[in-house]
């Protein structure tokens, strides 16, 4: 009886949870984005540490210094073994109609490895695909049969997300100084992750929760990315380059497992649900870039149809098609070893618009951001330290929703060495 009653209560609480932004008696806290509450969490988009300072432009930006995460074809521009590690500080200043809060976290943002092998380049790594991170509280009063009212408090916590491990291979089937360069690449992406959501119920001002529900969800599956680029030389000058790039990642049906742990009033139980699926949509990214002797300019467009998203076999009503547009540029550093320190730095700036997959209370949750960055040469001409800054605004306070001001500071070390290549002795 206890378990059946609490299951009914949990179903009601779960529905309340997904409409919590419209409740008036709500206090919110978060280590991450408040919008990471929904589905698989807050999506992570970072083509490379170079793009993090250029408005996230990267699908048509070949580089010998950076491991491209969104277009495997561009990996063929790498000529040295590359190792990259990213660290990010992210702060969220959230404001609603009833108040505001600021929380921040510093975390690992991925690591990658690429190595040229014969006439191809192989790359792999571990990167975040989405991030679930919230800590929220809802308070109010409940009407009970044959009594007056009783104070209640619901506490919601969530942590986890999806990760991806790509196995990418790139090559250059055609190159000509006059006609240009064609690059192709393919990647098999392994997606996996765990989502842990906890709900605690406190009644009558109790210091200890009367009911605790912990929901643990696991999902895993694979996608495939196909990418290509074409670089045309001699557009306006003898040394400039115009590059067109595109990548397509297939949709995925992830296999999922769900377990619910219930405890309260001295009793406990574990419920296991049948295996269910999580459907992640396909991704199409198109872009163009222009490279001259002194600067780089780029533009990207990315699209995903999240309106058909299913979470553990259940259709949801809070998703829509997502769209991302970015534009950015880089002032190239001098390659002269005798150049001054500041001349050897690369300076970056950009901006982007992101229509997120979320639509709540009939309102689309959009994000607009600006980025800036600097790239510092380290050790040798093959290694760089990238520092990127970002400020973005997401959401709105209309319809009792949440407006977030987002601050990001990223550090990435891109190290390069000559492996499997014979050194020339002069």
């Amino acid at each position: 009886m206890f378990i059946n009653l609490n299951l009914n209560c949990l179903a009601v609480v779960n529905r309340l949870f997904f409409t919590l932004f419209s409740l008036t008696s709500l206090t919110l806290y978060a280590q991450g984005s408040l919008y990471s509450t929904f589905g698989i969490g807050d999506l992570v988009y970072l083509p490379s540490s170079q793009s993090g300072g250029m408005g996230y432009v990267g699908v048509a930006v070949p580089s010998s210094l950076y491991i491209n995460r969104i277009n495997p074809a561009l990996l063929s521009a790498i000529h040295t073994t590359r190792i990259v590690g990213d660290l990010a500080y992210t702060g969220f200043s959230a404001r609603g109609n009833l108040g505001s809060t600021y929380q921040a976290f510093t975390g690992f943002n991925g690591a990658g490895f690429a190595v040229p092998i014969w006439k191809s380049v192989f790359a792999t790594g571990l990167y975040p695909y989405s991030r679930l991170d919230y800590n929220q509280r809802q308070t109010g009063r409940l009407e009970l049969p044959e009594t007056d009212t009783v104070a209640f408090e619901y506490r919601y916590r969530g942590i986890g997300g999806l990760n991806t491990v790509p196995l990418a291979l790139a090559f250059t089937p055609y190159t000509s100084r006059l006609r240009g360069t064609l690059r192709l690449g393919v990647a098999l992406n392994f997606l996996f992750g765990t989502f842990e959501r906890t709900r605690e119920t406190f009644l009558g001002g109790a210091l200890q929760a009367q009911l605790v529900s912990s929901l643990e969800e696991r999902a895993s599956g694979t996608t495939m990315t196909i990418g290509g680029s074409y670089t045309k030389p001699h557009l306006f000058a003898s040394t400039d380059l115009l590059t067109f790039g595109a990548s397509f990642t297939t949709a995925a049906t992830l296999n999922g497992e769900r377990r619910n742990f219930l405890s309260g009033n001295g009793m406990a139980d574990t419920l296991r649900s049948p295996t269910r699926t999580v459907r992640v949509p396909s991704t199409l990214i198109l872009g163009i870039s222009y490279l001259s002797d002194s600067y780089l300019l780029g533009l990207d467009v990315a699209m995903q149809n999240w309106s058909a998203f299913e979470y553990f076999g259940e259709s949801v009503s809070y998703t829509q098609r997502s769209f991302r547009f970015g534009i950015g540029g880089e002032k190239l550093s001098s390659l002269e070893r005798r150049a001054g320190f500041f001349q050897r730095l690369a300076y970056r700036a950009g901006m982007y618009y992101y229509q997120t997959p979320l639509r709540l209370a009939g309102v689309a949750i959009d994000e607009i951001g600006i980025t800036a960055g600097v790239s510092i040469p380290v050790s040798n001409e093959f290694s760089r330290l990238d520092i990127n800054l970002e400020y973005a605004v997401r959401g709105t306070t209309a319809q009792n929703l949440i407006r977030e001001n987002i601050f990001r500071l990223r550090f990435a070390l891109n190290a390069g060495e000559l492996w499997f290549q014979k050194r020339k002795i002069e």
Side-chain angles (χ1 to χ4, degrees):
M1 181 65 180
F2 165 76
I3 295 299
N4 291 335
L5 178 61
N6 284 326
L7 283 175
N8 293 332
C9 293
L10 285 172
V12 174
V13 171
N14 193 49
R15 294 191 180 188
L16 287 173
F17 179 64
F18 283 103
T19 57
L20 57 87
F21 293 110
S22 64
L23 299 176
T24 57
S25 56
L26 186 64
T27 305
L28 297 177
Y29 305 90
Q31 279 72 46
S33 171
L34 297 171
Y35 288 109
S36 73
T37 301
F38 297 91
I40 62 174
D42 202 12
L43 298 179
V44 178
Y45 186 85
L46 184 64
S48 69
S49 60
Q50 179 188 31
S51 71
M54 297 170 49
Y56 296 99
V57 171
V59 75
V61 182
S63 173
S64 62
L65 299 177
Y66 297 99
I67 299 175
N68 198 293
R69 304 182 187 182
I70 62 173
N71 188 352
L74 300 182
L75 296 171
S76 64
I78 294 175
H79 307 298
T80 60
T81 299
R82 310 297 307 171
I83 299 176
V84 59
D86 289 279
L87 186 69
Y89 167 89
T90 307
F92 296 90
S93 177
R95 177 175 295 276
N97 293 333
L98 295 177
S100 61
T101 184
Y102 180 85
Q103 294 291 334
F105 71 92
T106 301
F108 170 72
N109 209 43
F113 171 79
V115 57
I117 301 177
W118 195 45
K119 295 183 179 181
S120 63
V121 176
F122 171 78
T124 187
L126 174 62
Y127 307 115
Y129 183 90
S130 69
R131 181 175 286 115
L132 180 77
D133 192 357
Y134 63 86
N135 187 358
Q136 306 170 350
R137 184 175 67 189
Q138 174 191 352
T139 60
R141 302 191 68 85
L142 289 175
E143 294 184 2
L144 300 178
E146 301 179 359
T147 64
D148 294 328
T149 60
V150 60
F152 74 88
E153 180 178 315
Y154 296 139
R155 296 180 184 177
Y156 306 94
R157 295 194 303 272
I159 191 170
L162 285 178
N163 301 296
T164 178
V165 174
L167 300 179
L169 189 65
F171 57 97
T172 304
Y174 178 82
T175 182
S176 168
R177 291 184 178 181
L178 297 177
R179 295 182 177 86
T181 301
L182 175 66
R183 305 180 191 275
L184 298 175
V186 62
L188 179 63
N189 312 300
F190 295 90
L191 288 174
F192 62 94
T194 301
F195 309 92
E196 296 181 3
R197 293 177 166 90
T198 301
R199 299 187 293 271
E200 296 177 307
T201 302
F202 298 80
L203 298 176
L207 298 178
Q208 185 174 359
Q210 280 85 8
L211 177 63
V212 178
S213 170
S214 297
L215 184 63
E216 181 183 279
E217 299 165 324
R218 299 178 182 271
S220 62
T222 59
T223 64
M224 179 170 288
T225 301
I226 301 173
S229 74
Y230 170 71
T231 299
K232 175 179 175 52
H234 316 306
L235 186 65
F236 301 113
S238 59
T239 57
D240 64 356
L241 300 172
L242 181 67
T243 300
F244 301 90
S247 72
F248 177 77
T249 301
T250 61
T253 300
L254 311 181
N255 294 321
E257 297 180 356
R258 173 181 285 175
R259 291 190 298 174
N260 201 329
F261 305 93
L262 302 174
S263 63
N265 296 333
M267 300 183 65
D269 196 10
T270 299
L271 304 176
R272 183 186 296 271
S273 300
T275 300
R276 298 182 179 181
T277 58
V278 177
R279 294 186 180 179
V280 178
S282 60
T283 305
L284 175 64
I285 310 175
L286 305 173
I288 185 173
S289 72
Y290 173 77
L291 176 67
S292 72
D293 286 334
S294 57
Y295 62 89
L296 166 69
L297 297 175
L299 181 150
D300 274 16
V301 175
M303 295 162 283
Q304 285 184 295
N305 183 15
W306 287 92
S307 58
F309 172 63
E310 288 188 4
Y311 189 70
F312 284 87
E314 300 173 357
S315 298
V316 299
S317 60
Y318 52 79
T319 54
Q320 63 177 355
R321 291 178 180 269
S322 69
F323 173 84
R324 177 184 287 271
F325 171 83
I327 185 170
E330 175 181 282
K331 175 66 172 65
L332 302 179
S333 59
S334 173
L335 299 180
E336 293 292 335
R337 294 188 178 183
R338 296 182 180 180
F341 175 76
F342 291 101
Q343 292 178 317
R344 298 179 63 200
L345 303 182
Y347 302 93
R348 298 161 183 159
M351 62 180 297
Y352 67 90
Y353 164 77
Y354 178 34
Q355 178 179 287
T356 75
L358 294 179
R359 176 177 288 272
L360 305 172
V363 179
I365 306 301
D366 297 335
E367 179 179 329
I368 299 176
I370 56 175
T371 66
V374 61
S375 182
I376 306 170
V378 178
S379 178
N380 55 52
E381 67 270 25
F382 302 128
S383 301
R384 311 286 293 189
L385 173 64
D386 296 309
I387 303 175
N388 298 319
L389 290 170
E390 178 183 346
Y391 171 73
V393 178
R394 175 164 51 187
T396 175
T397 57
Q399 299 293 327
N400 290 324
L401 296 174
I402 301 296
R403 176 186 174 93
E404 291 181 334
N405 294 292
I406 306 171
F407 308 89
R408 290 191 178 98
L409 175 61
R410 288 193 174 98
F411 298 89
L413 180 61
N414 293 271
E417 290 291 342
L418 291 171
W419 289 11
F420 309 118
Q421 299 184 35
K422 295 182 179 180
R423 297 180 180 269
K424 294 182 180 181
I425 300 177
E426 297 180 356

